[in-house]
Amino acid sequence: MSSKSTEQKSSDHGFNSILSRFEPVIGLEVHCQLKTESKLFCGCKTNFGAMANQNTCPVCLGLPGVLPVLNHEAVEYAIRMALAVGAIIRERSVFARKQYFYPDLPKGYQLTQYDLPYCENGSLTLDNGRKITIQRIHMEEDAGKNIHGDNASYVDLNRAGIPLLEIVSAPEIKSPAEAADYLKKLRAIARYLDISDGNLEEGSFRCDANVSLRPVGSKTLGTRTEIKNLNSFRNVEKAITYEILRQADVLESGDKVKQVTLQFDAAIGRTLVMRSKEDSPDYRYFPDPDLGALLINEARVQNVRANILELPEQKVQRFQDTFSIPEADARQLTEEKELAAFFEDVVQKVDGAVAPKIVANWMLSEYLREFNARQWHFDKPFVSSERFARLLKLLGEGTISGKIAKAVFEDMAASGSDPDSIIEAKGLVQISDSAAIKAVVDQVIAAHPEQVAQYLSGKQKVYGFLVGQVMKISAGRFNPNLLNECLKEALHGKS
Amino acid sequence: MSALEPLALSASQVAQEVNAGSLKAHDVAAAYARRVENLHRELNTHIEWDKEAVLNEVDKQLAYIEAARYAQKSLPLAGVPIAIKDNIMVDSQTVSCGSQLLRNHRAAYDATVIQKLKAAGALLFGRTNMDEFAMGSSCENSSYGPTINPWNRRHVAGGSSGGSAAAVAARLTPLALGSDTGGSVRQPASFCGVVGLKPTYGRVSRYGLIAYGSSLDQIGTFATSVQDTALLYEVIAGHDPADSTSARIAAPQGSLASTSSLKGKRIAIIKEFMSEGLDEDVRTHFDQALDVYRAAGATVETVSLPHLLHCIPVYYIIATAEASSNLARFDGIRYGVRSQKPGLSLRELYTQSRSEGFGREVKQRIMLGTYVLSSGYYDAYYAKANRIREMIRREIQGVFEQGFDLIASPTSPTTAFELGQKTQDSLAMYLSDIYTLAANLAGIPALSQPIGLCRKGLPIGMQLMAPAFGEETLLRSAQVYEQQINGTEKFRPRI
Ligand SMILES: [Zn+2]
């Protein structure tokens, strides 16, 4: 869930030296698919994975004579996003027709907001504290999909008319890492607001990146290129990094960057030209006469505001305040809404047996390691909050040691069993019987007279070795506190 | 055999007798089917007439009408035949829009007006000829050949709903639906001597009408009397959730409460419309009609509306801009006719299918519309046209705010012109709509009623305009006129 590749890249020697000469200027256009029940202008279903053209009707097929009717659930979702990024909502916005010919575009035009979008001038704060302006957000419908095969082409219009938000940042992003962070933040917000599943693989969260370079210190913008349809955080970083390197090459060889539209080939890690500025079509935008203006009054905005859920930033603050955990932990835990919910659930269930800080540590290390390694999804948890809490409780009560707890957790993840039966079956309960511990301690001291002598002559390091020997014999089951007590007592008794 | 002769009855009378059980809907259908069979080829009123198929469909309605009668439920259009312009969807019937491009296209659903007609007990009686994609003022732009004026075979029926107007005038049906974007109901109604109503924009759902100029289009009615017009209008009007531009105003009822006086009504006539280009014969009859209105108690005053002189360019910019966009969906990919030329690339396939499928006038308007929306010209044409449209709307609004109830004008500056006379001169053709365009640009209701015959024996129409949602005023005033001239019998061509 955290990206280490970023730091590797920015530590890359060539890249850093380019950044000392050029300043990248990056703007992102994100397409966020809204998870409404029905499409933007008709009543058709929006579910993913339906049979081709199953989710269609005369309206989204663009049959002659049909008319669009705006879906007000989509408008409500759009308002939520606007409020979450603190933007201005226009009272009167307009849907325009963007006209071009393509088989996946049934009407010969796409309905999208153009010069009067419903939302303008919001912002989003990155982890590094920089505030990125969101210039505008507008609503639009998706197009269909062309499928090519067996010497013929087919069109699937299930996606045609699916509601999208296009979220356009100002060209204020300064590095590939910032771009990835911006995107993650935006996705988290969309998921927190429950307006999008933010699924990059299924295309419900896509990104176009505009990239230009200018000499450090320059105020004028360089020629920008646009990379289309980036569908993973990794590819966003990789594509922008590649594009910065490419443009720097062009500029340093004395050439001019050409204004082109690019696509990123992830397999070869390069951007490729799709079309140049010269072949970009004239879309002949004009206001759609079939829809009329979209009016959003203050009462409607207030109504949405009243029902808005907790956003990532607010949650980060609340986690710090309520659970006394560091900001970094709170940020990581709130990256995914479900992760945050799981954490809160576990904290509640351990019921004070361990501190929230310990729960957080476990979540961010053991839990996430298993989660990522096994590519789990939150909707199919590999360990329930009850079992996870039970494990931490056993640890807190001293029934098992931390080391054993980790082993038990790994077993839980692999076998799907509950902690109690694993501990029982493997006989892992912590031993707090001082007599038993003392017996082993004496045995170890007797077996290692040299080390004992070293310790008594002041070499503290040897102490750890002796603890290790005792634990080894106990298979890690001795209560560490008691072991400490007994070992020290025995050693000092010798002196 | 019924004692009543269905062809001699008005739509209102047919419904009344069928509801009462004194006339069988089946006999009405048979009588009208015979008449259509005899006359439709001569006049080319129908794009396709398959008597058997029509009567098969009618059979379903007959069962519904019978059931309603047993339940003692009165249906407003019980057993009344109605012809439908070929740009309105009737489920599983061909809807070609007068174009080769859609000659094989079957509608997948019912337009809202069709649902309402079916529920009202109407009998759908074939689809009528029209200018291709409703673009034209003479019905000569149909790819199925021109409709002939039932008053004189050498003259046009008017456009674009010429088939519907001629069918009602020739009594092939008591009622018909058309669509009116710039006068396409009123002008052919005037040319054929029937009553044509274009309701307020948003009064009748456009769902299921193949769009031409979306902000101007409105489905309208044809009938031989004001009473039948009101009957049909009340059935099809009302809010439709499937049409976002549909007005949220309750469906009208009792538009024709008995009235015989226009005492206190103020009628405005437009100075700018009464000058050059207006046929002397038309002017004379218009003046006489005003006298009839005066005799019924109305006062008539002249007003100046200078912006109305810009109606033609403003209309052709807005209508063609919207049309270029609305017609983009006809790409030959998913429905309609696809070019069979081998070895075409995707772009060539679009171009070739559209080149083969669209007629000359449609191509001309698509090109014009594409031009006025293209970047660099948008402000000079489209945006400016919209500003002037707003000025026109305000200017007309101002007349009503001054206390006028109606604005009257001839419907067209001339009577029906000869076939072929204007087909080579687009501008001359466009000028025939000069008096009707304003109502579409302003979104207000307008009605054309027959007021006499010119020296050649062709009908002359008068147009009344009212403020938005003032259909009742239009209908009541026009009915008083009808009473004053002792009915509309004299406006029946001998055929
Ligand atoms: Zn649909």
Side-chain angles (χ1 to χ4, degrees):
Chain A
M1 219 153 286
S2 73
S3 147
K4 292 274 184 292
S5 58
T6 316
E7 291 123 60
Q8 279 162 19
K9 245 169 233 144
S10 24
S11 69
D12 176 273
H13 183 71
F15 194 69
N16 271 347
S17 98
I18 282 167
L19 292 189
S20 67
R21 281 163 290 154
F22 294 104
E23 180 194 21
V25 178
I26 303 160
L28 296 182
E29 287 173 23
V30 172
H31 284 91
C32 170
Q33 177 178 332
L34 298 178
K35 57 174 192 184
T36 50
E37 276 289 303
S38 55
K39 293 186 179 180
L40 190 51
F41 298 112
C42 67
C44 287
K45 291 255 164 289
T46 52
N47 59 309
F48 182 80
M51 249 168 56
N53 293 306
Q54 189 179 31
N55 295 344
T56 59
C57 72
V59 174
C60 55
L61 290 175
L63 292 186
V66 297
L67 296 168
V69 176
L70 183 59
N71 174 353
H72 281 278
E73 191 189 8
V75 176
E76 170 169 346
Y77 286 9
I79 297 173
R80 280 191 212 167
M81 180 52 100
L83 291 174
V85 297
I88 294 161
I89 295 171
R90 227 189 253 277
E91 220 177 295
R92 180 180 175 280
S93 63
V94 168
F95 281 94
R97 294 181 180 183
K98 178 182 182 180
Q99 317 196 56
Y100 60 94
F101 282 101
Y102 207 60
D104 70 3
L105 189 72
K107 297 186 288 287
Y109 53 80
Q110 177 196 24
L111 289 171
T112 175
Q113 296 196 307
Y114 178 56
D115 53 352
L116 292 171
Y118 84 97
C119 170
E120 284 177 306
N121 213 359
S123 70
L124 193 151
T125 306
L126 302 178
D127 274 352
N128 63 14
R130 286 224 309 123
K131 200 170 175 179
I132 306 297
T133 305
I134 290 173
Q135 277 176 340
R136 59 181 275 158
I137 308 178
H138 68 249
M139 276 175 269
E140 64 182 34
E141 59 176 345
D142 207 348
K145 199 169 78 181
N146 295 329
I147 302 158
H148 306 285
D150 60 338
N151 214 13
S153 291
Y154 305 89
V155 184
D156 177 2
L157 294 175
N158 279 347
R159 287 196 69 92
I162 294 239
L164 304 176
L165 287 187
E166 182 169 328
I167 304 158
V168 183
S169 85
E172 291 174 352
I173 295 165
K174 287 185 177 164
S175 71
E178 279 195 357
D181 190 32
Y182 170 88
L183 213 56
K184 277 181 194 167
K185 290 242 151 17
L186 206 55
R187 178 174 175 273
I189 291 171
R191 286 168 52 80
Y192 267 72
L193 294 170
D194 213 20
I195 62 171
S196 174
D197 59 24
N199 195 323
L200 292 129
E201 298 88 58
E202 287 174 8
S204 47
F205 207 77
R206 285 170 282 168
C207 173
D208 301 341
N210 292 305
V211 181
S212 70
L213 292 190
R214 61 182 169 198
V216 167
S218 164
K219 287 274 171 261
T220 46
L221 287 171
T223 306
R224 71 191 168 92
T225 60
E226 185 181 19
I227 317 166
K228 285 279 186 195
N229 275 328
L230 296 164
N231 61 357
S232 76
F233 297 126
R234 255 174 76 82
N235 284 350
V236 167
E237 286 198 61
K238 279 165 71 179
I240 295 173
T241 305
Y242 178 83
E243 190 52 22
I244 291 169
L245 293 166
R246 188 189 71 83
Q247 288 189 19
D249 265 2
V250 171
L251 293 173
E252 297 206 311
S253 68
D255 279 349
K256 280 184 176 147
V257 173
K258 288 196 187 75
Q259 193 176 335
V260 288
T261 306
L262 305 161
Q263 61 189 10
F264 181 65
D265 187 330
I268 56 170
R270 300 178 52 174
T271 56
L272 305 166
V273 176
M274 279 169 78
R275 59 168 182 266
S276 70
K277 191 194 175 195
E278 285 71 41
D279 12 278
S280 65
D282 178 355
Y283 291 117
R284 292 180 292 116
Y285 289 97
F286 80 105
D288 181 27
D290 289 330
L291 277 168
L294 166 61
L295 303 175
I296 302 175
N297 61 25
E298 189 50 35
R300 191 165 171 191
V301 174
Q302 286 307 339
N303 193 36
V304 175
R305 195 191 302 270
N307 293 311
I308 223 159
L309 306 160
E310 187 181 40
L311 289 168
E313 279 304 306
Q314 296 163 319
K315 199 166 286 222
V316 167
Q317 195 56 52
R318 182 167 64 81
F319 276 19
Q320 292 176 72
D321 297 347
T322 319
F323 304 125
S324 312
I325 58 173
E327 186 186 333
D329 286 8
R331 284 207 180 281
Q332 247 191 302
L333 283 170
T334 52
E335 240 176 53
E336 295 282 351
K337 190 177 167 185
E338 289 86 348
L339 185 70
F342 190 86
F343 168 72
E344 289 201 76
D345 204 12
V346 174
V347 167
Q348 200 210 335
K349 285 183 173 130
V350 298
D351 200 17
V354 294
K357 169 73 186 142
I358 306 289
V359 179
N361 290 346
W362 269 76
M363 293 272 316
L364 295 175
S365 54
E366 306 307 312
Y367 179 87
L368 278 187
R369 182 166 54 244
E370 286 297 328
F371 187 93
N372 290 331
R374 290 162 199 265
Q375 298 192 301
W376 265 294
H377 285 283
F378 288 111
D379 48 354
K380 280 188 224 128
F382 67 102
V383 50
S384 66
S385 56
E386 283 82 11
R387 286 180 177 183
F388 194 62
R390 173 70 186 152
L391 176 72
L392 296 181
K393 250 181 147 167
L394 291 168
L395 172 70
E397 288 159 356
T399 311
I400 52 175
S401 66
K403 198 174 166 195
I404 298 247
K406 283 176 190 175
V408 172
F409 181 69
E410 264 170 45
D411 201 330
M412 283 164 70
S415 67
S417 307
D418 64 284
D420 289 290
S421 21
I422 293 169
I423 290 163
E424 162 113 33
K426 300 199 169 171
L428 296 174
V429 177
Q430 184 160 292
I431 296 167
S432 299
D433 175 351
S434 331
I437 296 172
K438 272 183 189 142
V440 176
V441 164
D442 291 344
Q443 191 189 326
V444 167
I445 287 174
H448 298 92
E450 225 173 288
Q451 281 83 357
V452 171
Q454 281 174 7
Y455 173 76
L456 292 176
S457 69
K459 284 197 174 167
Q460 292 289 320
K461 250 170 65 185
V462 186
Y463 184 73
F465 168 80
L466 294 170
V467 170
Q469 291 304 310
V470 177
M471 268 298 187
K472 203 170 158 191
I473 293 169
S474 81
R477 289 161 62 202
F478 285 167
N479 180 322
N481 291 333
L482 275 179
L483 184 153
N484 230 2
E485 250 172 53
C486 295
L487 182 59
K488 284 203 169 142
E489 201 181 280
L491 287 169
H492 293 133
K494 288 258 166 199
S495 61
Chain B
M1 183 75 196
S2 173
L4 292 159
E5 168 49 64
L7 299 177
L9 302 176
S10 71
S12 321
Q13 286 167 328
V14 168
Q16 204 177 335
E17 301 296 340
V18 169
N19 279 321
S22 46
L23 179 64
K24 292 230 167 309
H26 182 272
D27 294 336
V28 181
Y32 272 101
R34 265 196 307 278
R35 188 159 170 89
V36 178
E37 191 79 355
N38 290 336
L39 287 168
H40 81 92
R41 270 180 219 91
E42 204 177 312
L43 300 173
N44 199 23
T45 46
H46 289 60
I47 277 194
E48 165 198 277
W49 169 259
D50 180 344
K51 185 179 167 190
E52 215 152 297
V54 169
L55 290 181
N56 274 341
E57 279 304 305
V58 162
D59 274 345
K60 291 182 197 160
Q61 263 313 72
L62 297 182
Y64 168 69
I65 294 166
E66 272 308 287
R69 213 165 66 74
Y70 280 120
Q72 298 197 313
K73 190 175 171 250
S74 173
L75 299 171
L77 292 176
V80 180
I82 181 164
I84 309 296
K85 189 178 182 178
D86 198 37
N87 59 354
I88 299 172
M89 302 294 146
V90 180
D91 191 10
S92 69
Q93 289 193 18
T94 316
V95 52
S96 77
C97 221
S99 179
Q100 285 306 307
L101 192 94
L102 288 180
R103 65 173 185 266
N104 63 1
H105 179 61
R106 275 178 188 278
Y109 65 100
D110 272 334
T112 300
V113 289
I114 298 299
Q115 290 170 21
K116 291 187 170 201
L117 288 174
K118 284 180 174 172
L123 311 179
L124 300 180
F125 239 69
R127 294 178 329 281
T128 54
N129 201 6
M130 59 182 284
D131 283 308
E132 188 179 356
F133 284 101
M135 297 176 187
S137 308
S138 66
C139 215
E140 293 170 287
N141 286 335
S142 168
S143 77
Y144 300 85
T147 294
I148 307 301
N149 193 311
W151 291 84
N152 185 326
R153 311 297 152 93
R154 285 184 297 110
H155 288 255
V156 301
S160 64
S161 315
S164 286
V168 172
R171 303 313 188 268
L172 306 190
T173 173
L175 299 176
L177 286 186
S179 68
D180 189 316
T181 307
S184 286
V185 163
R186 289 158 287 154
Q187 187 252 31
S190 166
F191 281 11
C192 292
V194 297
V195 179
L197 170 69
K198 181 205 90 78
T200 308
Y201 184 76
R203 197 72 179 99
V204 174
S205 170
R206 291 185 294 120
Y207 187 79
L209 167 71
I210 296 185
Y212 160 26
S214 309
S215 72
L216 303 155
D217 292 343
Q218 185 64 89
I219 289 174
T221 66
F222 291 98
T224 55
S225 69
V226 173
Q227 190 181 21
D228 281 1
T229 302
L231 177 69
L232 177 53
Y233 161 68
E234 287 183 10
V235 166
I236 61 170
H239 175 64
D240 178 11
D243 176 353
S244 310
T245 61
S246 149
R248 290 176 189 273
I249 297 182
Q253 278 181 332
S255 304
L256 283 186
S258 69
T259 168
S260 58
S261 164
L262 293 178
K263 208 165 172 53
K265 293 275 181 239
R266 290 177 66 200
I267 299 174
I269 57 171
I270 303 160
K271 184 175 140 236
E272 286 77 9
F273 281 2
M274 305 311 289
S275 52
E276 55 182 316
L278 176 59
D279 187 283
E280 261 319 300
D281 235 2
V282 174
R283 171 190 274 271
T284 309
H285 279 87
F286 178 66
D287 287 340
Q288 285 167 4
L290 289 177
D291 285 340
V292 175
Y293 270 97
R294 285 193 190 94
T299 54
V300 179
E301 288 163 63
T302 302
V303 297
S304 175
L305 299 175
H307 283 109
L308 260 54
L309 292 173
H310 303 304
C311 277
I312 290 183
V314 167
Y315 171 82
Y316 279 95
I317 289 168
I318 292 171
T320 58
E322 292 178 0
S324 73
S325 170
N326 286 330
L327 269 57
R329 70 188 64 198
F330 304 109
D331 56 8
I333 299 284
R334 288 155 300 133
Y335 46 79
V337 177
R338 188 189 295 187
S339 174
Q340 292 307 306
K341 255 187 149 178
L344 298 176
S345 70
L346 178 63
R347 184 147 291 272
E348 289 163 349
L349 179 63
Y350 289 142
T351 311
Q352 192 60 31
S353 299
R354 287 165 70 83
S355 297
E356 290 172 18
F358 288 138
R360 186 186 144 272
E361 183 68 23
V362 175
K363 286 176 189 163
Q364 180 171 307
R365 296 199 193 189
I366 290 175
M367 292 304 291
L368 183 58
T370 303
Y371 179 77
V372 300
L373 283 180
S374 56
S375 67
Y377 298 100
Y378 182 94
D379 288 329
Y381 295 104
Y382 184 75
K384 187 186 269 180
N386 268 308
R387 282 198 300 278
I388 302 173
R389 177 184 189 172
E390 184 55 23
M391 288 158 83
I392 291 169
R393 203 187 62 75
R394 283 194 195 160
E395 203 167 72
I396 291 175
Q397 182 75 20
V399 174
F400 296 124
E401 278 163 8
Q402 283 168 48
F404 286 99
D405 301 284
L406 294 166
I407 298 173
S409 74
T411 306
S412 178
T414 67
T415 52
F417 43 87
E418 284 185 33
L419 287 155
Q421 188 189 330
K422 297 187 179 178
T423 44
Q424 293 312 308
D425 185 350
S426 294
L427 194 58
M429 187 74 91
Y430 295 173
L431 280 167
S432 72
D433 291 333
I434 186 160
Y435 300 152
T436 51
L437 300 172
N440 300 81
L441 291 169
I444 58 172
L447 175 145
S448 175
Q449 66 180 151
I451 55 168
L453 300 175
C454 72
R455 272 165 288 193
K456 288 186 202 158
L458 291 163
I460 295 166
M462 171 160 120
Q463 172 178 248
L464 298 176
M465 295 186 270
F469 304 101
E471 281 85 352
E472 200 178 273
T473 312
L474 286 182
L475 291 165
R476 288 184 184 183
S477 307
Q479 195 184 33
V480 170
Y481 174 85
E482 250 180 40
Q483 289 162 354
Q484 294 276 322
I485 63 162
N486 298 315
T488 54
E489 284 298 311
K490 51 176 117 11
F491 300 118
R492 293 197 174 190
R494 270 184 220 101
I495 187 162

